Amino acid sequence: MSTCSVSKGCFVFKPNSNKRKRSSAADYFSKGNNDLGNSELRLDTCLLLWKQIKSETEQLQEDLNKNLFDNLIKFLRQSHLDFKEKKAEWICRMKSNEIPTAAVVLGVNVTDHELTIKSLSEVLRDDVTPFVVSLKAKECPGIKQLLQKLIIQLMGCDVELDSSEEEECPKNLPGRVRCSVASLTNWYKNVIKKTDTESPCKKRTFSSRHWESPPVVIIFKDMESFTTKVLQDFIIMSSHCIHEFPLVLIFGIATSPMVIHKLLPHSVSSLLCIELFQSLSSKEHLTKVIDKLLLTSQFPFKISEKVLQVLTNIFLYHDFSVHNFVKGFQLSLLEHFYSHPLSVLCCEVQESEKRVQLLSHNQFENIRRLPSFRRFVESQEVEKQAALLTDDECLKIRELHCACLERSVWEREEYESAMQLVRMLAKDELVAILEKCVDILISSSAKCLRKALEKLERYVHLLNNLEEANGDQEKSISSLEELQKKTDLYHLQKTLLEMKESRRVKKLTTFEMLRFEIVDFIDGLVRNYLAPAEMQTLHEVMYFSAANTLREHLNATPRAALLTALNNPYFYLKEDALKCGAESISGAAPDICIAYKLHLECGRLINLVDWLEAFSTVVTAAGNTDSPVKNQTDDIIHARFIRAVSELEFLGFIKPTKQKTDHVARLTWGSC
């Protein structure tokens, strides 16, 4: 619906009563079958799992940032320790008008900075001061805009203004004040004075958790992006008022603390009392997240080795962002529950056992189609195979999954090197390693490892009571002593030949035999319990392995997507009218697609008049013009053509040329 009126006005369009009912999120999970209950259950399970995962990752981030935040709070406390007592010592300590400044190195993972700064602001507002301001470089192109943002955020704190100030208040500021540091000083004095004289029965401006005379904390989120002049002017102005109200600056730095001295001359940086703080590196943070999400049995959902490789490659080669890694994990979770009907069993063991009893015949047929289940059936006896393929009651199962994602561990070169090293360990070293293994198994709740634990404890006991481990060493020492006594060449040669012969037929000591037995036992444990996930029956229920699908969503290829959209708009729009061959042009296609295909038929220079005529022919033949009047039709087609050409120029397919005024130059060749 549209209007032809050239005057301004308000037009009401009644909604179409035949509008289709909006589909729910669970409808998209049905995946073409009629089992809506299963779809809703899958969606609910997916949302519940993501809620738990999100809560755990946020808690983990808080725990990892706790040390950094505690150090920052300690720095704030020391910076203005004496200000509330009005002592001259504070003025002496802040000599040369130095402003307390915390330089926080956050790392190159810029995407995660926002979350860290947000958490820091919340901690400071809860426990230190209500006056916390966060500033971005793009919001502060000049000193005036910086002061405006500063005043707006500060006045928004729990501060009550006089009625006269409220009457003069414009729309964007809580009170009409001059954008200057002096105005901030006066405002802070009034707030503190008002709080001190306030009666106990009234609501206090500050929380009981806040400090007395709380400092004003200004956080520059992306310090490197701020204009040098803006930072210089603000620091110089603030240094003149530092004795009158407690001000603290926090610089968020992505690269190196040296950037402060690169951006600020010595005359300005000398006005800052800088202390350096280092946040946890993004690699260490990612390691903690992977340990929490993938290497524990807390969450039933897992990802395959290829999917994990996609996510880690994006992390290592693109952004170093843990936040984006978690978002990719969330996308994997959603895609798994959306594309796999049997993901309804991806839940806690007790709940999955209940759901197995409620599976329908179609769902059991889906299980029988899984490749891992086929391998399991082929390994069974003939009678068992027939029962598994025909009897639903025989098929009810208990899900197993393994934390090992890659190929067989025992086939890796690193594993073989480690086992060779274990075969050469001394007794005390071997005992120390086995004791660590015992401690790990004791803390584990896996019942299947009880026997392994008992056997390892027995091996530790045997090694501790073994006194023959040093027998060979004593023999070799005595042989060397004999060699030192015998100086004659004949006896020396005879003794060396005897030692060589004894080494050939050397018998293993008790310690060596026990060491080989321990190594074989550990190797058996690895082969038994660390088999790849793909070897486990029904691993498809728990593991998401569609790495290509995830790569398409996360590793965008703009060029390929753009060419696909221009050449074949049906691929994205899914309208039957857009179906056509690769060489033909559909008049129902978007204008930019029509203009793009027509420009492929031209050479290096394109005549705009000829291009417009061809465009008009295609559009008119399709009959998709809005006005039946010919003059209006020509104007509409002309306007649509100009817009399509402008879009192609913006995308970089053509550019204006000075060779001919009515021509444009083509920047691509062939189908590109």
Side-chain angles (χ1 to χ4, degrees):
M1 292 181 288
S2 61
T3 60
C4 299
S5 174
V6 296
S7 61
K8 295 182 179 179
C10 179
F11 302 91
V12 178
F13 300 101
K14 295 182 178 180
N16 189 356
S17 59
N18 296 328
K19 188 176 180 180
R20 291 188 304 172
K21 183 180 179 181
R22 178 175 294 181
S23 301
S24 64
D27 294 339
Y28 293 101
F29 274 68
S30 61
K31 200 67 177 180
N33 57 47
N34 298 324
D35 193 357
L36 187 60
N38 182 28
S39 304
E40 294 176 350
L41 185 58
R42 274 192 287 152
L43 177 61
D44 293 340
T45 308
C46 177
L47 295 178
L48 178 61
L49 261 178
W50 170 242
K51 183 179 179 181
Q52 296 172 351
I53 292 172
K54 183 180 179 182
S55 176
E56 288 293 331
T57 52
E58 290 177 350
Q59 183 62 44
L60 177 63
Q61 185 172 10
E62 290 181 7
D63 296 341
L64 295 177
N65 288 332
K66 186 178 185 303
N67 188 36
L68 172 65
F69 294 168
D70 290 345
N71 291 335
L72 282 171
I73 293 176
K74 182 179 179 181
F75 168 74
L76 293 177
R77 191 181 299 276
Q78 293 176 348
S79 299
H80 293 282
L81 185 62
D82 300 327
F83 181 82
K84 61 182 180 180
E85 300 176 4
K86 312 296 184 188
K87 290 184 179 179
E89 298 175 2
W90 185 83
I91 299 179
C92 296
R93 211 152 52 82
M94 293 293 107
K95 58 184 180 180
S96 303
N97 300 332
E98 289 183 346
I99 305 173
T101 304
V104 184
V105 181
L106 299 173
V108 295
N109 49 325
V110 181
T111 312
D112 297 342
H113 292 185
E114 187 69 27
L115 296 175
T116 304
I117 295 298
K118 182 180 178 182
S119 300
L120 175 60
S121 301
E122 292 175 354
V123 170
L124 295 179
R125 287 193 181 98
D126 290 341
D127 301 329
V128 179
T129 173
F131 310 128
V132 181
V133 177
S134 298
L135 299 176
K136 288 184 178 180
K138 65 179 182 181
E139 299 174 348
C140 307
I143 187 64
K144 181 179 179 181
Q145 290 81 0
L146 187 150
L147 291 174
Q148 284 179 348
K149 290 289 182 183
L150 182 59
I151 291 173
I152 290 173
Q153 292 192 41
L154 284 178
M155 299 300 182
C157 299
D158 298 328
V159 178
E160 298 177 1
L161 299 175
D162 297 336
S163 58
S164 59
E165 293 178 345
E166 293 177 352
E167 292 175 358
E168 298 176 353
C169 175
K171 292 183 178 179
N172 60 339
L173 288 177
R176 176 167 293 183
V177 293
R178 294 183 58 189
C179 294
S180 64
V181 178
S183 301
L184 291 175
T185 304
N186 296 331
W187 163 81
Y188 184 82
K189 290 180 179 178
N190 293 332
V191 171
I192 297 299
K193 182 179 179 181
K194 184 176 181 181
T195 305
D196 294 338
T197 58
E198 197 175 43
S199 61
C201 60
K202 292 185 178 180
K203 179 182 178 181
R204 290 180 58 85
T205 305
F206 310 131
S207 170
S208 58
R209 298 188 301 272
H210 293 154
W211 298 352
E212 186 178 351
S213 301
V216 176
V217 180
I218 302 177
I219 303 175
F220 294 83
K221 296 182 179 180
D222 45 352
M223 191 262 184
E224 292 102 326
S225 301
F226 275 85
T227 308
T228 303
K229 181 171 175 51
V230 173
L231 288 175
Q232 289 184 24
D233 293 345
F234 179 75
I235 292 171
I236 293 172
M237 289 175 1
S238 301
S239 64
H240 295 302
C241 306
I242 188 60
H243 300 306
E244 302 182 31
F245 79 106
L247 174 66
V248 178
L249 304 182
I250 297 180
F251 290 155
I253 300 174
T255 53
S256 168
M258 294 302 297
V259 73
I260 298 177
H261 302 287
K262 291 181 180 179
L263 290 177
L264 303 176
H266 177 72
S267 59
V268 178
S269 62
S270 61
L271 300 176
L272 303 176
C273 180
I274 303 175
E275 186 165 337
L276 182 63
F277 297 89
Q278 179 71 52
S279 66
L280 185 71
S281 69
S282 56
K283 288 186 177 180
E284 294 177 4
H285 191 177
L286 179 67
T287 301
K288 300 290 185 181
V289 170
I290 291 179
D291 289 344
K292 193 70 174 177
L293 298 184
L294 302 180
L295 302 183
T296 63
S297 58
Q298 182 177 1
F299 305 110
F301 173 74
K302 304 295 179 183
I303 56 178
S304 69
E305 184 268 337
K306 292 183 179 179
V307 174
L308 180 59
Q309 190 68 35
V310 170
L311 295 178
T312 51
N313 284 345
I314 294 175
F315 174 85
L316 294 174
Y317 300 114
H318 289 81
D319 52 19
F320 281 97
S321 173
V322 179
H323 175 69
N324 287 346
F325 180 90
V326 176
K327 286 295 182 183
F329 190 84
Q330 179 188 10
L331 179 60
S332 304
L333 176 70
L334 182 64
E335 185 69 27
H336 178 68
F337 279 88
Y338 169 73
S339 59
H340 207 302
L342 292 176
S343 59
V344 69
L345 298 177
C346 186
C347 55
E348 295 182 356
V349 176
Q350 295 80 1
E351 181 64 23
S352 65
E353 291 176 350
K354 297 178 182 178
R355 295 183 181 183
V356 165
Q357 306 301 325
L358 302 176
L359 291 179
S360 64
H361 176 72
N362 291 334
Q363 290 170 326
F364 281 115
E365 290 298 322
N366 291 333
I367 293 178
R368 293 186 177 103
R369 297 188 187 99
L370 295 178
S372 64
F373 183 77
R374 293 178 182 176
R375 291 196 301 267
F376 174 73
V377 172
E378 292 171 359
S379 64
Q380 304 298 313
E381 298 178 355
V382 178
E383 296 80 4
K384 186 68 173 179
Q385 290 181 6
L388 289 171
L389 295 175
T390 57
D391 187 3
D392 289 348
E393 291 298 324
C394 181
L395 188 60
K396 293 184 178 180
I397 58 171
R398 185 169 182 172
E399 306 307 314
L400 299 175
H401 63 275
C402 182
C404 183
L405 300 178
E406 300 182 1
R407 59 188 173 90
S408 302
V409 178
W410 52 88
E411 296 177 358
R412 299 177 64 89
E413 182 180 350
E414 297 86 349
Y415 176 81
E416 184 60 32
S417 300
M419 297 306 289
Q420 289 179 2
L421 179 61
V422 175
R423 292 188 183 99
M424 296 185 294
L425 290 178
K427 187 181 77 168
D428 55 344
E429 296 174 333
L430 185 58
V431 169
I433 291 178
L434 292 181
E435 287 177 346
K436 289 182 181 179
C437 295
V438 169
D439 293 339
I440 294 174
L441 292 182
I442 289 176
S443 61
S444 174
S445 59
K447 297 181 180 179
C448 57
L449 296 175
R450 294 278 178 84
K451 293 183 178 179
L453 174 60
E454 295 174 358
K455 200 160 187 178
L456 285 176
E457 290 176 339
R458 187 173 67 86
Y459 283 137
V460 172
H461 177 72
L462 290 175
L463 286 172
N464 288 330
N465 296 330
L466 189 64
E467 297 179 354
E468 301 176 5
N470 297 324
D472 282 356
Q473 185 176 0
E474 294 175 356
K475 290 180 182 179
S476 62
I477 292 174
S478 61
S479 299
L480 289 174
E481 291 176 350
E482 290 179 3
L483 283 175
Q484 291 174 355
K485 294 178 181 177
K486 298 175 182 178
T487 56
D488 135 354
L489 181 61
Y490 172 75
H491 288 91
L492 176 63
Q493 184 179 10
K494 183 179 178 181
T495 305
L496 290 175
L497 289 174
E498 290 176 355
M499 291 178 61
K500 184 177 180 181
E501 187 65 24
S502 64
R503 286 180 181 176
R504 290 181 181 176
V505 295
K506 178 183 177 182
K507 294 183 180 180
L508 295 177
T509 65
T510 306
F511 167 70
E512 289 174 337
M513 290 189 293
L514 182 59
R515 183 173 57 186
F516 278 114
E517 182 181 345
I518 293 173
V519 172
D520 293 339
F521 174 71
I522 294 176
D523 183 64
L525 288 179
V526 171
R527 294 174 183 269
N528 189 23
Y529 292 104
L530 292 183
E534 289 77 8
M535 301 301 296
Q536 305 296 326
T537 306
L538 300 182
H539 70 274
E540 296 91 345
V541 175
M542 301 294 181
Y543 282 82
F544 175 71
S545 58
N548 291 332
T549 303
L550 188 67
R551 191 180 291 109
E552 290 177 0
H553 288 296
L554 298 180
N555 282 353
T557 53
R559 177 186 175 92
L562 181 62
L563 294 178
T564 302
L566 294 175
N567 278 307
N568 183 22
Y570 173 78
F571 183 83
Y572 292 103
L573 301 180
K574 303 300 182 184
E575 294 183 6
D576 294 337
L578 299 178
K579 288 184 177 180
C580 63
E583 303 297 330
S584 59
I585 303 176
S586 172
D591 294 341
I592 187 174
C593 298
I594 298 174
Y596 171 79
K597 283 200 169 184
L598 290 173
H599 109 288
L600 294 178
E601 301 174 359
C602 303
R604 189 178 67 84
L605 294 178
I606 305 176
N607 189 313
L608 287 172
V609 177
D610 296 341
W611 198 3
L612 172 60
E613 291 181 356
F615 180 84
S616 178
T617 301
V618 175
V619 171
T620 305
N624 57 354
T625 54
D626 296 332
S627 175
V629 183
K630 188 175 187 311
N631 292 337
Q632 291 183 357
T633 301
D634 293 341
D635 292 341
I636 292 173
I637 293 176
H638 194 185
R640 290 168 56 184
F641 174 75
I642 292 174
R643 182 175 62 182
V645 171
S646 300
E647 291 173 348
L648 289 176
E649 181 182 357
F650 175 76
L651 294 174
F653 289 97
I654 59 173
K655 71 171 184 178
T657 178
K658 296 181 179 179
Q659 296 181 11
K660 295 182 180 180
T661 57
D662 58 344
H663 284 63
V664 293
R666 183 178 172 186
L667 298 177
T668 59
W669 200 252
S671 60
C672 298

